[in-house]
Amino acid sequence: MTEERTLLTQGDTAPSFTLLNQSGAEVSLDSFRGKGLIIFFYPAAMTPGCTKEACDFRDSIESLRTAGYEIVGISPDKPEKLAKFAERDGLTYDLLSDTDKTVLAAYGAFGDKSLYGKITRGVIRSTIVLDADGTVEHALYNVKATGHVGRIRKLLGLDPK
């Protein structure tokens, strides 16, 4: 039996949150008001796919910031692991810890998923793009780690091709 999850769609108001970052400091959605925000939800720090995705965001951060967007990554990892991940890979944006998976669930990024034909519960790799008012511009679920940032860049009109 699979459990229903609520997915965000364009025009929805993003659920509010306050989480600890890799340094143990509180970061809230409200702290990004007035800027666009790209939130990517990933299963586990320092795994191959998550590293690829996080580094792709790192490598695109200047052009995304120039376009008015900040980036945060959210996973169920503890701040200590996130600190190691950020340091190891030179990640220059906040990684947020959602150990109880409340924010992941509120954004539709946690639930039942099929892995090799078996239903498991876990993080569903997803990215939500918010405008400066915290309204959903794009909600992408079940994304692939590789090539995903390029897709976001195209959606935002940063890559004309």
Side-chain angles (χ1 to χ4, degrees):
M1 182 172 106
T2 60
E3 185 178 300
E4 287 295 313
R5 68 184 219 265
T6 302
L7 303 181
L8 298 177
T9 59
Q10 187 175 25
D12 286 348
T13 299
S16 185
F17 63 79
T18 300
L19 296 170
L20 296 180
N21 72 3
Q22 67 269 27
S23 302
E26 286 189 351
V27 175
S28 69
L29 178 62
D30 288 341
S31 63
F32 295 99
R33 292 279 183 227
K35 301 175 190 167
L37 181 63
I38 299 169
I39 306 171
F40 71 99
F41 298 92
Y42 62 99
M46 298 195 280
T47 57
C50 296
T51 297
K52 172 71 174 138
E53 183 180 25
C55 289
D56 282 353
F57 275 114
R58 176 201 65 204
D59 295 345
S60 288
I61 198 162
E62 289 311 314
S63 63
L64 292 168
R65 283 183 173 155
T66 298
Y69 291 91
E70 287 297 322
I71 300 166
V72 297
I74 299 179
S75 76
D77 296 304
K78 292 181 176 167
E80 300 80 20
K81 185 174 181 185
L82 296 176
K84 289 177 186 168
F85 188 31
E87 184 178 341
R88 184 191 78 175
D89 292 298
L91 304 177
T92 56
Y93 50 84
D94 279 324
L95 300 174
L96 305 181
S97 172
D98 184 22
T99 56
D100 67 8
K101 304 170 190 80
T102 305
V103 176
L104 286 153
Y107 278 78
F110 185 84
D112 292 342
K113 59 185 183 175
S114 179
L115 187 62
Y116 304 112
K118 182 181 175 192
I119 300 294
T120 61
R121 290 193 54 73
V123 176
I124 297 149
R125 191 182 305 279
S126 309
T127 298
I128 308 296
V129 180
L130 305 177
D131 68 14
D133 297 321
T135 302
V136 175
E137 288 183 344
H138 303 283
L140 307 165
Y141 292 99
N142 298 308
V143 299
K144 301 275 185 238
T146 304
H148 174 58
V149 175
R151 181 175 168 203
I152 295 286
R153 293 176 55 81
K154 283 185 182 132
L155 281 172
L156 298 177
L158 301 177
D159 288 338
K161 298 175 190 171

